Amino acid sequence: MSTLPPVNNFPPEIEQLREQIRHHNYRYYALDDPQVTDADYDRLMQRLHQLEAQYPASVTPDSPTQRVGATPLSAFKTVVHELPMLSLDNAFSDEDLLAFNQRIQDRLKTKDKIEYACEVKLDGIAVSLLYRDGLLVRGATRGDGTNGEDITQNVRTIKSIPLRMAGSGYPAVLEVRGEIYMPKAGFNALNEKARAAGEKLFVNPRNAAAGSLRQLDSRITASRPLEMCAYTVGWVDGGELPATHSDVLKALRGWGFLTNRETDTAPDIQAAIAFYHRIGERRDALAYDIDGIVFKVNSRLLQDKLGFISRAPRWAIAYKFAAQEESTVLLDVEFQVGRTGAVTPVARLQPVFVGGVTVSNATLHNRDEINRLGLKIGDTVIIRRAGDVIPQIVQVVETRRPADARDILFPAHCPICNSPVETIADEAVARCSGGLVCAAQRKEAIKHFASRKAMNVEGLGDKLVEQLVDLGLVKKLADLYALTREQLAAMERMGEKSADNILAALQNTKKTTLAKFIYALGIREVGESTARNFANYFGSFEALAGADQETLQRVPDVGPVVAHFVAEFFAQESNRLAVAALRDAGVHWDNIDVASPEELPLNGLTYVLTGTLETLSRDDAKAHLLALGAKVAGSVSAKTDYVVAGPGAGSKLAKAEELGLKVMDEAGLIELLREHGRQV
Ligand code: IVH
C-alpha cells in the first residue's frame, strides 16, 4: 500500500476552505441556488484570509482570496484572438427574422424546421476568458475582433468568473466568451454615490461596465458591481463539446460559469418570434439591461455548415428592441416650484420616441446637474428612458452645439410668487422662500393634504385645488373646510352633485388618525412611515410638537436631518396657527397610549454596538434600543452599560473587556428586545 507524500506542510484547512468557497461560488453563480448565507460565506473568506496571512507561502493564484491585483498596470497589453470575435447581424421586425430563417433553410437546402437557441442580448462588454487545464490564464476585451486588450487582472476581480473551473470533463484549452455587464441596481447605487460626491455620472450601465473594465488598477474594478454571463465558446483544444449550443451552455454552467436564465430552445422560427415578444414584455423588470434577443441555430453541425459572412455568423442574428437612448434638442428650460419650495429645472425637448414612448420633458434635478452636464439651451442631448424610470438627459453632444446656444439662468426670484430664491450652502436645491405665500407651494401642500394616504379627501383633485388657490378661495389648509356648495359648484367641470360629494368627503374625513394627520402636514422628509413612527412614539400631537431634536431622534428611523425639519416646522408660528385652525375646523383624532420616557424599560442605559450584526441591521438594532428608552453611543466609555458585540468586533470589545463592562452577543440583544415586546 502506498500513501501519497504530503505536498506541503500547510494546514489542510486552507485547501478545504478554498474548496468550500469554490463550491459556494458555484452554487451561487452557476446554479443561482446558494446553500449558505452571505454572512457564512464571508466568514469562510475571512478565515481563509487569516490562514493565508499566517502561511503566505501557501497562497496560490487560483485561491479565492487572490482576485485583486497588488499593483496597478501602466498599460494594457494587446491580445491577438486565436479565433476572431465576431459580431451579429441585426433584425428589427418579425419579417426580418422570417427572412433570416428562410436564408438558412435555403442555404441548407431544406424545408425542415430549424431549432434555435434563444438568449437575451446583454448590453455590456464582450470578453474572452482563456482557461488552461481549468485555470483562468487570460481575460481579454473583444477590441476590433482580432486584437483585444489583456484585462486579466480586472476580470479576475469579478466573482461570477471562476478562477478555477468547477466539475470535470472540460477541454484542456477552453476559451469562454460572454458579456460583462453591470446590473441595474448596482449601476443606480454607483451613480447615486457619484451624484452625492459631486462626481461625474455614468451615462448607462454599459458605459459603467466598460469604464470599470478599463481601469489599470484592479482594485477599482473590484469595487464595481460587475457580472459576467457566458454565452459561447471560442478556441477549444484537447476535448469535445456537446453537439448543440444549448448543451454547451449547460456544460458551461456545470463548469461554474454564470449563464443567463432567460434562455430557451425554440423548435422553429415562430416559437423564436414568440420568445422575443414574451421577453420584450418583461424587459423592464429584468435586473440588467438587454437590447435585444439573440437567436442561434442550435445544432453546432449546422452552424459549421452555414459558416460566416464577413464579420458575422450566418447562423445567428440579434433581434433588437426599441432603443432606450435617443438624441434630441433642448428647446428651453422651465422652473417648477414644489411643495417644499424646491425650484426644479425641467427640460422642454423636441419630442422624441425613446424606450417605447414619446418624450418631450425631462427633469434636470437641480443646478448641480445642469453644471455637471455642461448643458446649454439649444444643445443636442442624449435622452435615456429605461423602463418606467423618468426620462433623463444623460449627455450633451458637444460637437453639435449651435453657435447661438444659451446659458441656463437660474431665477433669482420665484417664477410663481416672486419671492427670493435661496440656495443654502451644501444644498444642491434652490428654494423659493415664499412658503405658503407662494401659490405653487400652497397648491402642492393642499394636494398633499388631501391625497389618499393623508386626509384622503375624495374628489378634491389637482385641477380643482389649482383653481381654488388661483381664485384665492383657499389660502391655508383650514380654508378647505369653509368652502361652500356655491363656491365649489362654480368651478370648472363641477356641478352641484360633485360639490356636495366633496363637502361630504371633507366632513367625513375630519376624523382621522394621528399618523395620517402628521403625514398630511407635509413636513419635509416626513413620509408615511416616519409619521407613523412619530405617532406611535409620542402618542399625542402636543408631545410631538413640543419635542426637542434629541428626543425626536429617539424615534425609529429618525436621524438628525428629519429631527431638524420637524423641529423647524413646529418652531414656525404660521405652522402652529395652521394646525390650530384645522382643529378649530373640526379635524380630530384619538391619541395613542404610550409610556412616558421615564417609564420606558431601558431608560437611563447606554449601549454600544460593535462588530457585524447578522440578523438585525445596525440601524434597526439602534432604532429598537432607542424606542425602549436606551441611549446608543458610538464609543465605549465608563458611562457605557452594555456592549453588543458581533463577529469581527475589534478595539471596542477590547476596551469593554478592559473596563469590565457587560458584553452581549446579537442573540442576547434579540432576546432582550423580544422580552420587551419588540418584533425582531
Ligand atoms: S453571440 C458569433 N450571444 O452582442 C456570435 N452575443 O454583435 C457572437 N451579446 O458584442 C456573439 N449577448 O458581446 C452573443 N447572448 C449573446 C449576447 C451577445 C450580448 C453581444 C456580444 C457582441 C454583440 C454582437
Side-chain angles (χ1 to χ4, degrees):
M1 222 177 74
S2 71
T3 46
L4 288 169
V7 183
N8 54 48
N9 292 321
F10 306 127
E13 189 188 350
I14 296 184
E15 203 40 51
Q16 284 160 9
L17 280 165
R18 290 179 187 150
E19 272 311 310
Q20 278 178 29
I21 292 166
R22 282 185 197 118
H23 169 75
H24 292 310
N25 276 347
Y26 171 70
R27 300 285 313 193
Y28 187 89
Y29 290 106
L31 303 189
D32 194 19
D33 183 18
Q35 285 171 321
V36 290
T37 63
D38 289 0
D40 289 329
Y41 179 89
D42 290 346
R43 259 192 297 275
L44 294 174
M45 280 296 279
Q46 240 171 355
R47 175 78 185 135
L48 180 57
H49 271 291
Q50 210 175 28
L51 286 172
E52 288 185 350
Q54 222 171 323
Y55 300 93
S58 76
V59 179
T60 51
D62 64 325
S63 169
T65 59
Q66 300 303 299
R67 287 197 174 267
V68 185
T71 39
L73 305 172
S74 50
F76 295 117
K77 283 187 295 196
T78 300
V79 164
V80 182
H81 294 295
E82 286 75 13
L83 298 170
M85 289 182 77
L86 302 166
S87 60
L88 291 171
D89 270 348
N90 291 327
F92 296 98
S93 65
D94 292 359
E95 290 69 42
D96 287 352
L97 213 57
L98 291 171
F100 161 74
N101 183 63
Q102 190 63 55
R103 285 197 297 277
I104 287 177
Q105 286 180 326
D106 290 350
R107 195 148 185 109
L108 295 174
K109 298 196 173 61
T110 177
K111 289 200 162 47
D112 290 351
K113 290 177 174 169
I114 307 287
E115 185 183 61
Y116 292 100
C118 317
E119 300 166 8
V120 292
K121 185 167 185 296
L122 295 157
D123 202 4
I125 307 298
V127 284
S128 143
L129 304 174
L130 188 61
Y131 288 81
R132 286 186 190 275
D133 298 322
L135 288 187
L136 174 65
V137 293
R138 190 195 73 192
T141 61
R142 172 172 183 269
D144 62 8
T146 311
N147 298 301
E149 282 180 324
D150 187 326
I151 52 164
T152 312
Q153 282 231 41
N154 291 345
V155 300
R156 287 177 62 91
T157 67
I158 299 171
K159 301 226 177 59
S160 45
I161 295 180
L163 297 179
R164 173 202 282 243
M165 284 163 61
S168 58
Y170 40 75
V173 176
L174 179 66
E175 184 200 356
V176 177
R177 292 179 177 179
E179 199 87 348
I180 292 180
Y181 57 95
M182 192 177 283
K184 293 176 194 170
F187 166 76
N188 291 335
L190 189 67
N191 260 1
E192 269 319 307
K193 242 169 67 192
R195 197 193 288 277
E199 288 163 9
K200 214 168 165 318
L201 304 196
F202 288 109
V203 167
N204 55 36
R206 183 175 186 283
N207 286 20
S212 302
L213 283 181
R214 222 178 286 122
Q215 300 293 329
L216 291 168
D217 184 348
S218 68
R219 283 169 297 191
I220 300 178
T221 314
S223 73
R224 302 281 170 79
L226 297 173
E227 276 181 10
M228 133 110 189
C229 262
Y231 56 61
T232 194
V233 295
W235 182 26
V236 182
D237 203 4
E240 284 301 314
L241 288 178
T244 60
H245 177 74
S246 48
D247 283 343
V248 170
L249 290 183
K250 269 189 210 137
L252 288 172
R253 190 177 297 188
W255 293 329
F257 294 91
L258 173 63
T259 56
N260 190 275
R261 261 138 249 282
E262 309 295 338
T263 51
D264 206 354
T265 47
D268 58 19
I269 198 68
Q270 290 303 341
I273 292 174
F275 181 90
Y276 170 88
H277 293 286
R278 216 160 48 234
I279 297 285
E281 282 175 17
R282 293 181 35 233
R283 177 187 188 189
D284 294 341
L286 296 178
Y288 39 80
D289 270 359
I290 59 174
D291 58 348
I293 300 290
V294 183
F295 299 105
K296 300 172 183 169
V297 170
N298 200 25
S299 155
R300 296 179 69 232
L301 186 71
L302 293 187
Q303 287 183 2
D304 287 343
K305 281 195 184 158
L306 288 160
F308 303 86
I309 181 163
S310 70
R311 307 209 52 80
R314 283 200 187 88
W315 43 265
I317 198 158
Y319 186 178
K320 303 294 277 285
F321 289 129
Q324 291 183 319
E325 281 170 24
E326 288 291 352
S327 63
T328 186
V329 175
L330 176 65
L331 302 174
D332 201 359
V333 172
E334 289 173 13
F335 293 87
Q336 280 178 355
V337 183
R339 173 163 62 85
T340 60
V343 178
T344 308
V346 179
R348 301 285 175 230
L349 305 163
Q350 206 164 68
V352 60
F353 190 73
V354 52
V357 297
T358 301
V359 170
S360 42
N361 303 312
T363 173
L364 283 166
H365 301 285
N366 53 45
R367 198 189 311 244
D368 286 356
E369 179 86 356
I370 292 175
N371 292 341
R372 201 177 49 69
L373 289 165
L375 188 62
K376 288 179 192 269
I377 294 169
D379 268 339
T380 293
V381 293
I382 300 195
I383 301 292
R384 175 174 163 84
R385 183 186 176 276
D388 40 18
V389 180
I390 47 171
Q392 309 273 335
I393 294 184
V394 291
Q395 213 170 27
V396 171
V397 186
E398 279 183 31
T399 50
R400 292 180 60 187
R401 173 165 289 164
D404 60 352
R406 286 183 287 134
D407 282 340
I408 298 165
L409 297 177
F410 245 76
H413 290 94
C414 172
I416 308 296
C417 72
N418 214 30
S419 302
V421 169
E422 293 172 347
T423 312
I424 299 166
D426 292 347
E427 244 198 87
V429 182
R431 279 178 208 283
C432 160
S433 59
L436 292 185
V437 168
C438 174
Q441 291 184 59
R442 222 176 318 141
K443 283 176 186 170
E444 296 309 312
I446 294 165
K447 286 179 198 168
H448 174 78
F449 182 80
S451 66
R452 198 171 54 79
K453 290 176 180 165
M455 300 299 284
N456 194 18
V457 185
E458 247 178 79
L460 194 61
D462 290 1
K463 287 273 172 300
L464 183 57
V465 170
E466 284 169 20
Q467 290 179 64
L468 292 169
V469 172
D470 287 341
L471 291 170
L473 293 174
V474 178
K475 294 204 170 74
K476 56 182 194 303
L477 294 173
D479 292 346
L480 286 173
Y481 298 99
L483 287 170
T484 64
R485 186 173 193 232
E486 291 67 39
Q487 287 172 332
L488 282 168
M491 297 297 116
E492 272 169 41
R493 280 188 302 263
M494 291 281 292
E496 293 190 344
K497 176 118 183 48
S498 359
D500 284 342
N501 287 343
I502 290 176
L503 287 177
L506 280 162
Q507 274 308 320
N508 294 339
T509 53
K510 277 184 184 171
K511 161 107 180 115
T512 181
T513 65
L514 178 55
K516 286 189 176 172
F517 185 71
I518 296 170
Y519 172 67
L521 292 176
I523 305 168
R524 263 176 79 188
E525 299 292 330
V526 178
E528 223 192 333
S529 82
T530 310
R532 206 177 309 119
N533 291 348
F534 277 132
N536 290 336
Y537 186 88
F538 290 106
S540 75
F541 192 79
E542 292 69 28
L544 168 66
D548 60 19
Q549 294 199 30
E550 200 188 315
T551 314
L552 289 167
Q553 286 187 56
R554 293 179 161 231
V555 178
D557 293 337
V558 175
V561 174
V562 176
H564 165 79
F565 287 135
V566 173
E568 192 185 49
F569 182 88
F570 289 112
Q572 285 182 29
E573 164 132 50
S574 58
N575 289 330
R576 290 202 305 271
L577 290 176
V579 171
L582 286 167
R583 297 182 107 170
D584 287 346
V587 175
H588 64 287
W589 55 86
D590 291 333
N591 284 343
I592 301 168
D593 285 336
V594 289
S596 71
E598 297 74 47
E599 292 169 48
L600 289 171
L602 304 185
N603 180 45
L605 297 177
T606 300
Y607 284 74
V608 171
L609 303 171
T610 179
T612 323
L613 299 187
E614 283 147 12
T615 313
L616 288 169
S617 73
R618 244 324 149 96
D619 285 346
D620 285 347
K622 183 174 171 185
H624 283 298
L625 286 167
L626 292 175
L628 293 172
K631 280 206 167 92
V632 179
S635 60
V636 175
S637 74
K639 287 193 198 143
T640 311
D641 295 290
Y642 289 95
V643 173
V644 180
S651 61
K652 288 183 194 172
L653 178 57
K655 178 130 189 237
E657 280 164 356
E658 198 184 302
L659 291 171
L661 301 178
K662 281 165 257 176
V663 177
M664 63 167 83
D665 60 7
E666 188 181 8
L669 173 67
I670 290 175
E671 200 178 314
L672 172 81
L673 296 176
R674 287 190 179 143
E675 258 170 39
H676 292 297
R678 307 296 303 178
Q679 292 192 345
V680 287

